[in-house]
Amino acid sequence: MSHTLKAKLAAPAVWEWLSDTRQAQILHLFDHACNLVNERGDVLSLVSEEIGAGPFHAVLPNWFVVSDLSAYVSDELPATNVAVSPGNVQVGGWQVDISPAVRWEPRVDWERLRAHTAVWQPHIPTTQTTVQQYRAQLGLDTAVWQPPLQAGLDLLLVGIAQAETAVMQ
């Protein structure tokens, strides 16, 4: 028995992935997301509306719980039971039709980000400390990585504060 799902939103990368993919496998399967990987290692995510739009997402109706695909997936991931054609992905008995999806452009809303600087800027030191601790746990040499990361972060913050879009992208 085959079920058809019509995607609601899809990022441009979704159509590119579909047009360039000859073979695909399920990489990860969660309650509200299914990550597919093609022969080049590019990822497409089939997600519920609860997850929402993302740069590699095809957003499916909320009534569909992605874990429903588990009946079609072996215990060993990646699973190979994925068929791809332009505008469609089939996983087991589920046909995902991407063609009716509204094209969603994954762009940062820089104006909104700048307008709310007071909200996010105070969290930067905590975020930096957390990242440093995590890198130390992984055994990464923070003395080597910290200066370039800090320089990049400083440049990003200056770009946001001064509305220099070219610096931020």
Side-chain angles (χ1 to χ4, degrees), residues 42-74:
D42 298 328
V43 175
L44 164 69
S45 294
L46 304 174
V47 302
S48 69
E49 290 173 286
E50 183 176 316
I51 300 291
F56 308 103
H57 292 178
V59 180
L60 306 177
N62 244 357
W63 59 266
F64 175 70
V65 178
V66 178
S67 61
D68 291 345
L69 296 173
S70 61
Y72 304 101
V73 179
S74 68

Side-chain angles (χ1 to χ4, degrees), residues 115-139:
H116 295 91
T117 302
V119 173
W120 58 263
Q121 204 164 29
H123 298 285
I124 291 173
T126 303
T127 303
Q128 289 171 319
T129 301
T130 302
V131 169
Q132 288 172 343
Q133 290 171 347
Y134 182 68
R135 286 195 317 252
Q137 287 175 356
L138 293 176

